[in-house]
Amino acid sequence: MKGDELTLEKALTRGPVIPVLVIDRVDDAVPLARALLAGGVQVLEVTLRTPAALDVIRTLVREVPEALVAAGTVTTPEQWEAVAHAGAHLAVSPGLTPRLLSALHSGAPTPLLPGVATASELMTAMDAGLNRFKFFPAQQAGGVGMLKAFHGPFADAVFCPTGGITFDTASNFLALPNVACVGGSWLAPTSAVRAGDWGRITELARDTLSLGGTLTA
């Protein structure tokens, strides 16, 4: 298995849930990561939705080396290069554009988990040699029913559905044979992060382990 494929496989099989993190303050990054790790969550997706995101990624890679750090909301080749330079282990995109495909073919700076929402997008990505995907936005794009429909014609495709998934609905996705894990924001509520309530976040992380998952390393 190639390095990029191995990194993606590790990211998708280290636990049933990848927390989708929107971090405003760099000072919150390390205690938040350690709280999640204490609860058994090993893969952290830091979204590029705040000005602090790249500094957060650098800090986590340096200070919490036991975590696998993903950079989320990567939408351009320039962002892909930037997160790779910051040390992110992989990039996660909400979609897959011709420019991202071109960058993929010309030498990807780090592994990419691209987002798909339709059969045509999935076919385009699979034609490029990809078989691990983010299904986004999961609930709005058809949810469990859409993923069940994908499984027949695209049996080799494996998904991390993200978008609108909660603790109560995650198990419905994880029961599917083509779902390795789900992405969720409920593990790090804004109120808990702002209050520095790391114990609450560790408890939420521990709760996710009970969700299991159908695909394992």
Side-chain angles (χ1 to χ4, degrees):
M1 186 178 288
K2 295 186 296 184
D4 285 7
E5 293 173 348
L6 183 61
T7 299
L8 285 173
E9 193 71 15
K10 285 181 179 179
L12 297 182
T13 58
R14 280 193 173 181
V17 181
I18 296 176
V20 179
L21 307 175
V22 181
I23 303 175
D24 294 301
R25 302 178 302 194
V26 176
D27 288 348
D28 291 331
V30 171
L32 173 57
R34 288 179 176 158
L36 290 165
L37 285 165
V41 172
Q42 301 177 41
V43 183
L44 314 175
E45 180 183 333
V46 178
T47 64
L48 298 186
R49 299 181 192 175
T50 73
L54 288 176
D55 285 335
V56 166
I57 291 169
R58 292 186 192 98
T59 299
L60 291 179
V61 170
R62 183 178 66 248
E63 302 292 335
V64 194
E66 62 269 38
L68 195 157
V69 180
T73 325
V74 173
T75 61
T76 68
E78 292 79 13
Q79 288 178 327
W80 195 358
E81 286 283 355
V83 300
H85 186 69
H89 300 107
L90 71 151
V92 182
S93 176
L96 187 61
T97 66
R99 290 187 69 219
L100 286 173
L101 274 174
S102 178
L104 180 70
H105 290 311
S106 63
T110 193
L112 177 70
L113 183 69
V116 297
T118 69
S120 293
E121 292 169 355
L122 184 54
M123 290 169 65
T124 297
M126 294 185 79
D127 277 348
L130 301 170
N131 62 4
R132 298 291 186 269
F133 306 100
K134 173 178 180 173
F135 178 53
F136 178 83
Q139 291 286 27
Q140 296 85 344
V144 168
M146 181 66 87
L147 287 167
K148 285 182 177 179
F150 278 162
H151 185 53
F154 309 114
D156 292 335
V158 175
F159 299 92
C160 174
T162 305
I165 298 174
T166 66
F167 179 86
D168 292 331
T169 61
S171 59
N172 298 328
F173 288 90
L174 291 167
L176 300 176
N178 55 346
V179 170
C181 61
V182 301
S185 59
W186 77 84
L187 283 81
T190 300
S191 59
V193 174
R194 287 178 177 169
D197 190 352
W198 312 123
R200 179 184 174 199
I201 289 171
T202 294
E203 184 178 353
L204 289 169
R206 286 196 182 114
D207 288 344
T208 69
L209 299 183
S210 67
L211 294 172
T214 57
L215 299 180
T216 57

